[in-house]
Amino acid sequence: MEQSGSSPRGPLVHTLLDDAAAERPDAPAVRDARGGWTYRETVDHSHAVAAWLKGRGVRPGDRVLVQWPTDRRLAAVLYGVSRVGAALVPINPDTRPFQLQAIVTSAEPRLVLTADDRDLAWKEIEDLHGSGARVDSSGVTPEDLAVLVYTSGSTSVPKGVVEPHAQVVFATRALVAELGYRADDVVFCRFPVSWDYGLYKVLMCAAAGCEIVLAGEESDLTLLRRIREVGATVVPIVPSFATMIGKLADRESAPAENRIRLFTNTGAALAPATATRLREAFPGAVVVRQYGQTECKRISVMPPGEEHERPDSVGRAIRGTRVLILDPDGDEVPAGELGEIVAAGPHVMPGYWREPEISARTFRPDPVTGEPRLHTGDFGRLDEDGYLYFHGRVDDMFKRKGIRMSTLEIEAAAMDIEGVRAAGVVPPSGDRDLAICVETDLASHVVLRELAQRLEPLKVPSLCHVVEKFPLTRHGKNATKELAAIIDEVVAARARAATDRAATR
Ligand code: ASP
């Protein structure tokens, strides 16, 4: 497929779709649990959405907040909003009213589409589709805002990452090239468009001219069957999803023919044992490690085929971009040394929506050249060949008895223990010492003993608590606040029990 951005209309979200439709109008484009559309049908539906939005008073520069489940209708809305020159604000259907209100106040959308009025809206859109509605998009420019992606990050108030067409299309094309998506691929996407992981999967499939299967509404139990049924060749994963697929594969009565050629991971580090399990269950599949932040979409990708050469690395800067490691004074450190990971290039977004102060701290142009740069707040190092090693967020680093360590290294050691399905470290705070929460059938003292064989004594937690169901965020990352609350509760219960024992003596 075309990679050069040569469309006369410039790099725009909907031109990704239009270019694919011009080349392969009858190829399958997007499928969900209820059916599928070809590229031509997706274009037609996106025009109908655009006409409907215009009829509802949406104008260029407006925001359209959409809290719909991720299916092909939402894909049509993504392109339809782009055609009218407005910006999509995709919101997870599970977002609670309290958070939604904060986002509405921040985004000031012209239109809010909730799941409740989806069927009614869609009926009107189908009528316009039937009458062959077409919308002119000639006024939309690459600098216009295409999407506002709200992330909760480490603060409690969600921040909207400003994503203009130019940055979105650049990152989309760079990732298609990096991962080698092909026109005959079928990409099985479990993630919602409200998370940039799901959003860019839709766009990357259009850029490659291949098919996306939006599977967010499928039940966990039928996932592997669906993956087989639709003939998926590429499966984006996060660690918890990868573990689930591995387990489902264990339950298959007979090994099925494998069509998956690529698993791509992001969001959190994939334990080597999970990657190995996937390779065993899906012979021939490559497991790609990646690292990214919404603020520039993706930072690095391990080129498929190089996965075994540097097993601890999260890959190289995506093409056309750079990764720098800076010391606290903003100077680059030599290869091998730790510092803050900073991303530079055309994928760096302009900032957070209406948050000038936090934007100025996070998005700091190169002091000499003025090139846009994203300060990630993550620590890492580069090797001599430019491969990146991720060491954790600033928040993941802590000191215990004067020694600096990271939750990630302790969690990695725990995940190395056979039988540990999930692990989350809670750093010391106040009277609470270093603790770890694990999901496993092993006894807690066994986990601690195994950890002691893998870590220096100071890095071994003083408390290990076994949970039945490990708390994860919606995106499969460790839910750190919940983990801390669980440990606090265990510590408090132990203190109460100790007091009771003392009282009865
Ligand atoms: N933007 C990230 C990526 O795609 C996902 C994340 O925010 O964790 O790599």
Side-chain angles (χ1 to χ4, degrees):
M1 290 297 296
E2 180 77 42
Q3 292 291 322
S4 64
S6 60
S7 161
R9 293 151 293 179
L12 303 171
V13 163
H14 59 273
T15 56
L16 290 172
L17 176 68
D18 292 346
D19 290 351
E23 208 160 309
R24 323 182 68 222
D26 299 316
V30 41
R31 196 185 320 183
D32 60 24
R34 277 165 225 89
W37 289 330
T38 62
Y39 272 98
R40 191 202 317 268
E41 288 167 336
T42 312
V43 167
D44 292 347
H45 279 94
S46 71
H47 272 286
V49 169
W52 182 80
L53 291 171
K54 283 185 92 170
R56 302 287 300 258
V58 175
R59 298 284 169 264
D62 284 343
R63 272 84 51 210
V64 178
L65 188 147
V66 185
Q67 199 181 16
W68 288 5
T70 291
D71 64 3
R72 69 202 141 108
R73 290 181 278 190
L74 186 57
V77 169
L78 163 65
Y79 294 115
V81 170
S82 169
R83 287 191 197 287
V84 291
L88 178 72
V89 188
I91 302 296
N92 194 301
D94 295 336
T95 301
R96 299 280 161 252
F98 166 72
Q99 287 241 308
L100 182 64
Q101 191 46 52
I103 295 172
V104 168
T105 306
S106 154
E108 288 193 297
R110 166 81 57 194
L111 194 65
V112 174
L113 304 178
T114 63
D116 291 345
D117 24 71
R118 182 170 65 148
D119 288 345
L120 196 62
W122 196 258
K123 207 182 150 300
E124 292 174 11
I125 292 166
E126 277 298 357
D127 289 345
L128 287 163
H129 174 243
S131 61
R134 259 0 202 204
V135 163
D136 170 45
S137 307
S138 52
V140 188
T141 75
E143 291 73 40
D144 290 341
L145 176 58
V147 195
L148 256 188
V149 180
Y150 276 84
T151 63
S152 38
S154 49
T155 60
S156 51
V157 188
K159 300 181 300 262
V161 177
V162 169
E163 306 215 358
H165 289 268
Q167 275 86 335
V168 172
V169 174
F170 172 85
T172 300
R173 289 190 170 138
L175 289 172
V176 165
E178 209 61 73
L179 293 172
Y181 271 29
R182 305 189 305 227
D184 61 353
D185 271 326
V186 177
V187 177
F188 189 86
C189 180
R190 174 81 168 144
F191 306 104
V193 159
S194 54
W195 188 19
D196 71 344
Y197 201 19
L199 169 71
Y200 281 77
K201 287 299 153 212
V202 176
L203 301 173
M204 286 164 65
C205 289
C210 66
E211 183 179 21
I212 187 159
V213 177
L214 296 171
E217 292 176 283
E218 314 277 346
S219 115
D220 285 355
L221 295 172
T222 58
L223 274 177
L224 187 54
R225 203 181 67 216
R226 272 297 275 168
I227 287 176
R228 304 281 198 208
E229 252 168 36
V230 301
T233 57
V234 177
V235 182
I237 51 173
V238 293
S240 52
F241 181 42
T243 306
M244 191 198 308
I245 299 179
K247 267 195 223 150
L248 292 170
D250 286 341
R251 286 192 212 139
E252 279 185 319
S253 43
E257 188 214 344
N258 176 43
R259 293 196 53 196
I260 302 173
R261 64 180 190 85
L262 209 59
F263 287 102
T264 60
N265 181 69
T266 196
L270 190 67
T274 314
T276 306
R277 181 72 205 96
L278 286 179
R279 287 187 207 101
E280 281 165 8
F282 303 91
V286 166
V287 183
V288 173
R289 293 184 296 279
Q290 313 176 99
Y291 157 64
Q293 280 194 356
T294 312
E295 287 79 350
C296 70
K297 169 54 199 164
R298 180 72 45 73
I299 293 170
S300 66
V301 172
M302 179 56 83
E306 288 187 29
E307 57 175 329
H308 299 294
E309 286 169 31
R310 293 174 177 80
D312 299 327
S313 165
V314 288
R316 289 184 318 213
I318 60 169
R319 56 198 66 189
T321 75
R322 288 183 308 137
V323 169
L324 314 169
I325 305 292
L326 302 187
D327 68 16
D329 297 328
D331 294 322
E332 265 185 79
V333 304
E337 275 183 34
L338 265 189
E340 187 183 11
I341 303 174
V342 173
H347 59 333
V348 174
M349 306 296 171
Y352 298 112
W353 180 251
R354 295 180 176 164
E355 294 282 2
E357 275 159 35
I358 330 176
S359 298
R361 278 202 300 275
T362 310
F363 300 89
R364 289 182 243 162
D366 181 314
V368 180
T369 63
E371 180 187 28
R373 294 202 312 205
L374 165 69
H375 283 250
T376 61
D378 289 341
F379 279 108
R381 65 186 162 87
L382 285 170
D383 67 16
E384 298 283 348
D385 302 314
Y387 287 79
L388 179 65
Y389 298 75
F390 174 75
H391 283 247
R393 282 201 69 68
V394 178
D395 314 347
D396 300 328
M397 314 288 269
F398 62 93
K399 275 189 178 172
R400 188 186 191 203
K401 302 192 176 131
I403 301 297
R404 205 172 160 73
M405 57 192 90
S406 144
T407 53
L408 297 190
E409 57 184 324
I410 304 170
E411 285 162 9
M415 292 301 290
D416 187 53
I417 304 170
E418 204 176 325
V420 171
R421 296 185 288 275
V425 166
V426 180
S429 157
D431 291 341
R432 185 187 69 205
D433 195 6
L434 177 62
I436 187 166
C437 228
V438 286
E439 188 188 298
T440 180
D441 298 327
L442 302 173
S444 55
H445 70 271
V446 176
V447 175
L448 287 175
R449 193 181 64 216
E450 291 291 324
L451 280 176
Q453 283 172 14
R454 291 168 172 80
L455 295 165
E456 299 110 276
L458 260 182
K459 294 183 180 171
V460 179
S462 62
L463 169 72
C464 173
H465 179 62
V466 174
V467 288
E468 244 169 60
K469 189 152 178 21
F470 192 85
L472 292 174
T473 67
R474 242 189 243 141
H475 298 158
K477 303 181 190 192
N478 286 2
T480 45
K481 283 184 200 142
E482 264 184 69
L483 284 166
I486 292 172
I487 295 297
D488 281 340
E489 181 46 40
V490 173
V491 172
R494 286 190 178 185
R496 279 195 303 272
T499 319
D500 291 351
R501 269 199 309 275
T504 52
R505 250 181 228 146

